[in-house]
Amino acid sequence: MTRYIFQRLLQAIPLLFIISLILFILMMNMGDPVATMGGRQATRPADRIRLTRQLGLDQPGWKQYLFWLIGNDWTKVDMDGDGTRESPGTRRGVLRGDFGTSLVKRGVPVTSVIWERLPNTLILMIASEVIIILGALLIGVYSALRQYSLMDNTITAFSFIGYSMPIFFVALLSMYIFGVLFKRWGLPYLPTVGMFDPKVGKTVGQVALHMVLPVLSISLISFAAYSRYIRSTMLEVMSQDYVRTAKSKGLPRREVVYVHALKNAALPLVTIIGLDLPLLLGGAVVTERIFAWPGMGRLFLDHVSRSDMPVVMGILMMISVAVVVFQLITDVAYAWLDPRIRYE
Amino acid sequence: MSRRQLAYSLLTLLMIASFALASCGAPATQAPIVETEAPAIEQPAEQPTQAPVEEPTEPPAAEPAEKKVATFIWTQEFDTLNPYYTDMWFSTVTHQVWNCWAWNFNDRNEAIPYLVAELPSSENGGVSEDGTTITMKLRDDLVWSDGTPLTSADFIFTYEMVMDPNNTVASTDPYDKVASMEAPDERTVVITFAEPYAPWVGTLWKGLLPQHVLQPEFDTNGNINEAAWNSEPTVGCGPYVFAEWESGSYARFIVNDNYWEAKPKIDEIFFTFVPDDASQVAAMQAGDGDLGTFIAYSDVPTLQDAGIEIRTVFSGYNEGIFFVINDTNGEPTLPEKADSPVRELAVRKAIAMSIDRASIASDLLLGLTGVPASYWDSLPFYNTPPLENYPYDPDAAMQILEEAGWVDNNGDGIREKDGRDLHVTYGTTIREIRQDTQAVVQQQLREIGIDVELLTYESDIFFAGMDDDGPAASGDIDLMQWSDSSNFPDPDYYYWYCSEIPTPDYPQGGNWQYYCNEELDGLFATQASQVDPAERQKTFQRINQIFYDEVVWLGMWQDPDLWALGSRLDNVKLSGVTPLYSITEWDLTE
C-alpha cells in the first residue's frame, strides 16, 4: 500500500505541472489586471505602462510562467522604466513555496490572502457536507426500504423541488423570510449577512447562528442528488443474495440494513464524496456572495473579476492538489471498506 | 473502538478543527493600542480606544448602552487602505474617516480647507501669477493619531513615495508633472509644476502618508509595497482611527483622541462588506445597516417602502455613448475601418435624435436623474451657457439619414448605402442598467433603420488596453457606453488629445474614439494651463460647442451616487467628491 501511495504521488507531479501550465495560459487571456485598478475609470496610460512593467506583466507569457514557477530572484528586473534591468527580482517561485503577491491587495502574499479565507469556507462547507450526507443517508435508506410508499413519493417530490431550485433563489428567499419578515413580525429572527455580528465578536455561538441560513440553502438543493443515489444503490444491494441470506439467517433487520446492505451500498458513495470534498475548498460562490460569507468562493470571484492572476492561480492550484490527494484518499478508503480490493 | 465509533470521532474532530480554524486562522488585522496625549477629561470613560484588544478573535468588550455604533454597508471590500495604492472608490471615500486630504469638498462640491489654513489662491499669494507654483500654508495644530506632529515633511515624503519607481502606486498623476517640491519650514509646502497647471485643486493631496511610520519600512525594503500600514493604517489623521480589518467581513474605525477638530458624535464605524445588491437591500430592510451605497435603481422603491431615505449625490459622472469617430482631421485614423457608419456626422446625429433618453431616465432610472446635454453637465460653470439636448425626434432622424444617402432599398428594415447595411456595434460592461438600456436603444435604432449588434463585457476586458486586445481600445466597437468623470470637480480630461490615440507603439493610448481635431486638441491644452477661471470657462464654451456640433459624445443619463440612509442616521450631508467630509457631525438617533 505504501508503495502504491508513493507511486500515485509521483504520478501527480507531472499532472500538476500540466494543470498549472493550462491554467496559466487561460489566466493570461482573462483580462487586464491594470485596466481599472478597481476604480470607476480606465487607468491612465502612463500609469498603465508603469504598473504593467513594475508588476512584470509586460514580460512574455513563457517568462511570466517561469517566474511564477521558479521565481525571479536569480535575475534582475526593470522597475524604473529606463530600459535597464537594475533591480534584483524578489520572487522565489511556487516550487519554493512562494505563490507571489496579490495584484489587487498589492504586496500581500497570496498564501496570506488565501489563509485568511480558507478556514471560513471549511467551516461552512464541512458543516453543509455533513448535514447533506447524514440527511441524504436517512432519506435515501428510508426511501429504499419503503419503495413507492406514500412517504417515498413525497420525499422524492420534495427533494426534486429542492434540487430544481436555483440556490440564489433559496438563499434570498430564506434570508427575506427568516431575516427580514420574522424580525418585522416580532418573531425570533436570523441574521441576514456576515459570518458574525462585528459588534458582538467572532464567538462560536455567533458563527453558528450566522451559518444557519447558508447551510440550509446549500443543503436544501443538494439533498436530492445524494439521497437519490443512496436510494438506488440501496435498492440494488437489498436485492443481492447475501442480504437475502442475512435475512434468512434471522438477523435483526437493523443489522441487515446497516451492517450488510448499507456498508456495501456506501462504496460508490465514497467515490462521490471523494470527488466532492476537494471542491469544498473552493467554497460556494453564490451562497458566500449572497450571505456575505467571507470565504474562498467570494475571494475567487473578487479576484477573478480583477484578473488577479497570482491569487486565482493559488486558489486553483490548491484545489488541484486537493483533488489529487482526495482521489488517493478515496482509493485507500476503498480498500479499507472492501477487503476484496487490494493495491499490490 | 469500532469503525463506526472511529468515524464518528473523526467527524467530530473535523468539526471542532473547523471551528478552531475559523476562530483562529483568519485573524483580524487589529490595531495596536494608540498612545494618546489627549487630556483624560476629553476622553469619555466608555471610549473603546482605551480597551486593549490583544486577541484578534476576542469579541469587543461589553458595550455601554450609550455608545453609538454605525454600520455602513459597502458592496465591495477595500483592496488596500493606502490612499496612493488604489483607485477603488470604496477605499478612497473612507479617507475622510481616518486619513486626510489637504482640502475636502462640501455638499456643493466646493473645496474647503482641511489641512491647509486657507485654500491657495491668486489673491492670497498661494498660486503664482504664471500658474506654475502652489504654496500651501498648513494649520499649526495638526497631529497624527499617535500624537506625532503632522508637518510639511509628511507632504514631501508622500510625494517622494508616489514618485519612487519601486513603489507600485495606482497613479502618479499629477505628481509626475511636478518640477520640484519643497518644504521651507514645517508649515509650508511649495509645489512647482513644470507647466502652468490649472487642475491642481481636483488632483493634489488625496491622502497623506505618515513619514514617521513608513520611512523605516522604505529604508529597509527600498519600497513600501508590503508595508503593514497599507492594510493596517494604525496611524491616521482623520476623526477616526483604524481599529481592525477582518478580511471579507468588515473594517472598524474608532474615535481618534488626538483629532485636532471637534470630536465625532458617533463612537465607532463599521464598514461591512456585503457584495450582493439584493443582500444589501435585505440588510438595510432588517436594520443591519445605517448607510448603504451604490444602490441599484430597481431597488430604490423597495428601500423607500421600508422607510429608508435615498439620496442622489452628483459626483461628476455622466453615463454616455462614445462614438468611434475614427477621424484625424478629416482622414480615417484607422484606415481598415474607414467605412464605419458612425464616421458620418449624419449617422451620429440621427442616433442622438432617435434614442428616447428622457424616457430611459424616467422609466429605467425611476426619474432619479436627468439627461446630460454636455460632457461637463455636472460642472455648470464650465457648461455656460448651458447646451440644449438633441430632441427625441425619430422622424427628423430618418430625414437626416435619407439626406445622407442611407435608404432601405431592399425592404428589410435596415438602411443601406453603397451596398453596405447601416449596421453598428454597441458595447458596454455587464452592469445591469446598461444591459437594459442596450435593449431599448437597439429597438429604437431599429425603428429608424439602424441594425445594432449588442456586445457586453466584463469591465477588465472592456477597459483592457489595445495591447491586451481590449475591444474599446482597439476601436472594435462603434458605440461604446460607460460612465465617466473629469478630475471632478475640475473639468480636465486627458484622453481627448490626438497624442492619446492608441497605436502599435503606444497601445495604452486613451483616445478610444480615434478622434483627432486640431482645434479641440489646442483647446484642451489651453484649458489645462488656464488658472484664471473666467478664461477657462470661455475655452470650455468652445469645447462644449464642438462636442455638441460634432456629436462626439452622447449623454445618456447623469450618473449620481445613490445613498441609502437608515432611519437612525441624522444630520447627514454628502459631497460628490469627498462624500463623508462631514462625518464628525453625523449622529445616530434611536
Side-chain angles (χ1 to χ4, degrees):
Chain A
M1 179 65 86
T2 311
R3 186 178 164 166
Y4 171 78
I5 293 171
F6 187 66
Q7 275 179 345
R8 284 285 300 270
L9 288 174
L10 275 182
Q11 285 168 3
I13 292 171
L15 179 68
L16 288 169
F17 177 75
I18 292 165
I19 289 172
S20 73
L21 193 61
I22 293 170
L23 289 176
F24 202 90
I25 292 168
L26 289 173
M27 290 294 302
M28 290 278 297
N29 296 290
M30 206 173 65
D32 183 1
V34 298
T36 63
M37 299 302 288
R40 293 166 78 175
Q41 295 173 305
T43 305
R44 208 174 57 116
D47 294 321
R48 198 187 281 249
I49 294 169
R50 177 182 51 80
L51 280 163
T52 301
R53 182 187 66 249
Q54 288 177 323
L55 300 172
L57 304 170
D58 59 339
Q59 299 297 319
W62 66 267
K63 207 179 220 181
Q64 288 189 45
Y65 179 73
L66 195 69
F67 286 176
W68 178 81
L69 196 67
I70 64 170
N72 65 359
D73 54 356
W74 47 274
T75 184
K76 290 186 173 176
V77 291
D78 176 19
M79 289 295 279
D80 56 13
D82 63 355
T84 308
R85 286 184 279 172
E86 75 292 329
S87 308
T90 53
R91 289 158 59 183
R92 288 181 295 115
V94 172
L95 293 180
R96 285 183 282 165
D98 178 11
F99 280 78
T101 54
S102 167
L103 301 180
V104 171
K105 292 174 164 244
R106 272 195 306 298
V108 180
V110 168
T111 43
S112 301
V113 174
I114 293 175
W115 178 242
E116 282 176 340
R117 301 293 188 89
L118 187 59
N120 301 340
T121 277
L122 284 179
I123 187 171
L124 178 70
M125 299 305 286
I126 288 174
S128 303
E129 192 71 12
V130 167
I131 288 175
I132 291 166
I133 292 170
L134 291 179
L137 273 172
L138 280 173
I139 294 170
V141 171
Y142 184 89
S143 293
L145 297 180
R146 290 166 179 76
Q147 194 183 12
Y148 304 131
S149 67
L150 178 64
M151 189 56 88
D152 177 29
N153 288 332
T154 309
I155 289 170
T156 304
F158 274 104
S159 61
F160 271 95
I161 289 171
Y163 188 62
S164 56
M165 279 201 289
I167 190 152
F168 71 85
F169 177 74
V170 178
L172 285 171
L173 191 71
S174 61
M175 182 194 288
Y176 189 67
I177 292 171
F178 299 111
V180 179
L181 291 181
F182 269 41
K183 188 174 185 183
R184 199 175 289 170
W185 296 334
L187 297 170
Y189 57 91
L190 288 165
T192 48
V193 290
M195 190 177 173
F196 57 93
D197 183 348
K199 293 168 196 164
V200 179
K202 198 174 188 177
T203 61
V204 172
Q206 273 292 316
V207 174
L209 195 66
H210 282 73
M211 272 173 66
V212 174
L213 289 180
V215 168
L216 177 79
S217 304
I218 296 170
S219 308
L220 205 63
I221 63 156
S222 308
F223 273 138
Y226 272 73
S227 62
R228 297 302 292 172
Y229 200 79
I230 292 164
R231 179 180 180 273
S232 60
T233 51
M234 272 298 284
L235 283 173
E236 190 185 333
V237 169
M238 288 298 284
S239 60
Q240 295 291 317
D241 288 344
Y242 62 84
V243 172
R244 192 162 48 244
T245 307
K247 281 180 186 169
S248 56
K249 271 164 60 181
L251 288 176
R253 182 179 166 80
R254 180 182 293 266
E255 195 176 331
V256 172
V257 171
Y258 291 107
V259 177
H260 294 268
L262 184 58
K263 187 178 170 187
N264 287 287
L267 208 56
L269 190 67
V270 170
T271 312
I272 298 181
I273 296 170
L275 285 171
D276 276 357
L277 283 178
L279 301 180
L280 301 186
L281 300 177
V285 174
V286 178
T287 312
E288 286 184 4
R289 183 182 161 86
I290 289 176
F291 289 105
W293 190 269
M296 294 289 289
R298 250 178 78 193
L299 182 77
F300 183 77
L301 208 61
D302 287 350
H303 288 256
V304 157
S305 66
R306 285 182 59 180
S307 308
D308 189 352
M309 189 154 67
V311 171
V312 177
M313 279 299 292
I315 295 172
L316 293 176
M317 285 313 296
M318 183 191 70
I319 293 173
S320 303
V321 171
V323 168
V324 170
V325 170
F326 276 98
Q327 281 293 294
L328 185 58
I329 292 172
T330 306
D331 288 347
V332 173
Y334 253 63
W336 180 64
L337 281 170
D338 189 346
R340 291 170 298 180
I341 299 170
R342 290 281 179 273
Y343 298 115
E344 296 302 340
Chain B
M1 186 185 283
S2 72
R3 281 178 179 175
R4 191 166 59 179
Q5 284 171 320
L6 182 66
Y8 282 144
S9 305
L10 282 174
L11 201 61
T12 311
L13 279 174
L14 204 58
M15 286 298 289
I16 292 168
S18 301
F19 271 97
L21 277 171
S23 305
C24 316
T29 50
Q30 197 139 2
I33 310 154
V34 177
E35 290 293 334
T36 174
E37 294 175 359
I41 194 162
E42 288 182 20
Q43 174 77 21
E46 64 273 21
Q47 280 295 324
T49 50
Q50 296 303 301
V53 185
E54 288 173 8
E55 289 297 323
T57 54
E58 191 177 313
E63 315 282 343
E66 64 270 24
K67 189 169 164 184
K68 293 178 176 174
V69 182
T71 303
F72 299 168
I73 297 180
W74 257 210
T75 48
Q76 288 178 37
E77 183 173 10
F78 324 132
D79 42 11
T80 172
L81 282 167
N82 186 317
Y84 291 95
Y85 274 67
T86 181
D87 284 336
M88 197 178 195
W89 182 89
F90 288 93
S91 179
T92 57
V93 296
T94 66
H95 295 167
Q96 278 61 44
V97 173
W98 67 272
N99 199 271
C100 45
W101 291 19
W103 40 85
N104 286 330
F105 294 86
N106 64 16
D107 52 353
R108 293 184 299 282
N109 296 321
E110 299 160 338
I112 46 173
Y114 190 61
L115 298 182
V116 289
E118 59 179 343
L119 202 66
S121 67
S122 305
E123 290 74 29
N124 62 23
V127 180
S128 66
E129 263 186 39
D130 64 357
T132 57
T133 305
I134 313 293
T135 304
M136 304 193 316
K137 292 284 182 189
L138 305 181
R139 289 171 58 138
D140 56 10
D141 56 351
L142 303 174
V143 286
W144 291 97
S145 58
D146 61 356
T148 307
L150 190 160
T151 67
S152 53
D154 291 303
F155 284 83
I156 303 294
F157 176 76
T158 300
Y159 163 69
E160 288 172 351
M161 289 301 99
V162 171
M163 291 307 298
D164 192 280
N166 290 313
N167 289 333
T168 56
V169 295
S171 179
T172 54
D173 184 50
Y175 304 96
D176 47 11
K177 298 177 180 69
V178 170
S180 69
M181 189 167 308
E182 290 160 3
D185 59 58
E186 282 198 345
R187 298 281 152 224
T188 309
V189 182
V190 181
I191 307 145
T192 305
F193 287 96
E195 305 283 339
Y197 183 65
W200 61 271
V201 177
T203 54
L204 274 175
W205 307 122
K206 296 182 173 181
L208 205 61
L209 306 179
Q211 185 186 22
H212 65 290
V213 175
L214 291 171
Q215 184 75 61
E217 171 81 22
F218 184 74
D219 292 342
T220 306
N221 297 326
N223 63 64
I224 56 168
N225 299 332
E226 297 181 21
W229 188 86
N230 296 348
S231 51
E232 300 168 43
T234 49
V235 176
C237 44
Y240 293 86
V241 66
F242 172 86
E244 59 179 318
W245 177 0
E246 173 86 17
S247 175
S249 293
Y250 66 90
R252 185 165 69 102
F253 295 86
I254 55 180
V255 168
N256 171 10
D257 293 311
N258 282 335
Y259 188 50
W260 62 87
E261 281 199 332
K263 292 279 189 294
K265 293 171 181 160
I266 297 172
D267 299 306
E268 275 186 31
I269 294 176
F270 283 91
F271 289 90
T272 57
F273 311 122
V274 180
D276 188 74
D277 287 345
S279 308
Q280 179 183 220
V281 170
M284 289 297 293
Q285 283 179 306
D288 293 339
D290 297 301
L291 183 77
T293 184
F294 271 68
I295 306 297
Y297 285 93
S298 53
D299 290 328
V300 168
T302 310
L303 288 168
Q304 285 175 328
D305 288 347
I308 291 159
E309 181 189 348
I310 300 294
R311 293 251 186 110
T312 51
V313 178
F314 291 92
S315 55
Y317 280 83
N318 287 303
E319 179 89 10
I321 291 176
F322 295 76
F323 296 96
V324 178
I325 298 173
N326 189 16
D327 187 294
T328 299
N329 300 313
E331 296 298 318
T333 318
L334 295 167
E336 67 277 17
K337 287 164 187 159
D339 62 349
S340 163
V342 294
R343 283 198 71 224
E344 288 186 37
L345 176 59
V347 173
R348 297 200 298 272
K349 254 185 193 160
I351 289 173
M353 295 170 72
S354 57
I355 301 174
D356 188 359
R357 293 173 286 156
S359 295
I360 289 173
S362 64
D363 297 344
L364 293 182
L365 294 111
L366 311 175
L368 291 166
T369 182
V371 181
S374 161
Y375 200 55
W376 288 269
D377 181 89
S378 45
L379 290 166
F381 182 78
Y382 294 106
N383 178 28
T384 307
L387 290 175
E388 288 291 319
N389 246 318
Y390 278 100
Y392 172 57
D393 190 345
D395 292 335
M398 284 194 280
Q399 185 63 33
I400 290 170
L401 289 175
E402 297 277 344
E403 287 168 5
W406 291 99
V407 288
D408 180 15
N409 290 314
N410 59 12
D412 64 353
I414 304 300
R415 293 172 185 274
E416 306 97 36
K417 182 176 165 181
D418 302 333
R420 63 199 164 102
D421 283 346
L422 183 40
H423 171 90
V424 296
T425 51
Y426 174 22
T428 186
T429 67
I430 54 170
R431 191 176 165 192
E432 189 183 343
I433 187 71
R434 288 187 179 137
Q435 292 179 57
D436 294 344
T437 308
Q438 276 190 311
V440 173
V441 169
Q442 184 184 43
Q443 189 183 345
Q444 292 182 340
L445 293 186
R446 174 85 195 194
E447 283 167 11
I448 66 160
I450 301 177
D451 181 37
V452 179
E453 182 186 347
L454 301 183
L455 303 164
T456 311
Y457 306 88
E458 287 277 358
S459 61
D460 59 337
I461 294 172
F462 185 74
F463 290 116
M466 185 199 228
D467 47 345
D468 278 312
D469 298 324
S474 305
D476 292 340
I477 308 169
D478 300 319
L479 278 62
M480 308 173 287
Q481 183 178 323
W482 71 83
S483 176
D484 213 346
S485 165
S486 60
N487 284 321
F488 189 74
D490 188 88
D492 187 45
Y493 280 90
Y494 71 87
Y495 56 67
W496 291 101
Y497 292 105
C498 297
S499 59
E500 279 297 326
I501 290 175
T503 64
D505 291 333
Y506 182 48
Q508 297 85 3
N511 186 338
W512 296 348
Q513 303 71 237
Y514 288 86
Y515 180 52
C516 175
N517 175 324
E518 268 182 21
E519 185 190 358
L520 196 62
D521 211 45
L523 288 166
F524 269 110
T526 302
Q527 64 77 28
S529 62
Q530 286 178 310
V531 286
D532 178 0
E535 290 296 318
R536 209 172 177 208
Q537 186 188 40
K538 278 186 202 163
T539 308
F540 270 102
Q541 190 179 341
R542 179 64 192 141
I543 293 174
N544 258 315
Q545 199 58 50
I546 294 175
F547 265 58
Y548 183 83
D549 292 342
E550 296 293 317
V551 198
V552 173
W553 174 85
L554 182 66
M556 294 299 287
W557 62 79
Q558 298 154 336
D559 191 20
D561 299 337
L562 292 193
W563 295 85
L565 276 63
S567 55
R568 295 199 313 154
L569 267 186
D570 194 26
N571 202 27
V572 173
K573 281 188 281 185
L574 294 161
S575 159
V577 192
T578 48
L580 310 182
Y581 79 101
S582 68
I583 190 78
T584 52
E585 297 165 21
W586 295 21
D587 205 352
L588 287 175
T589 54
E590 292 303 331

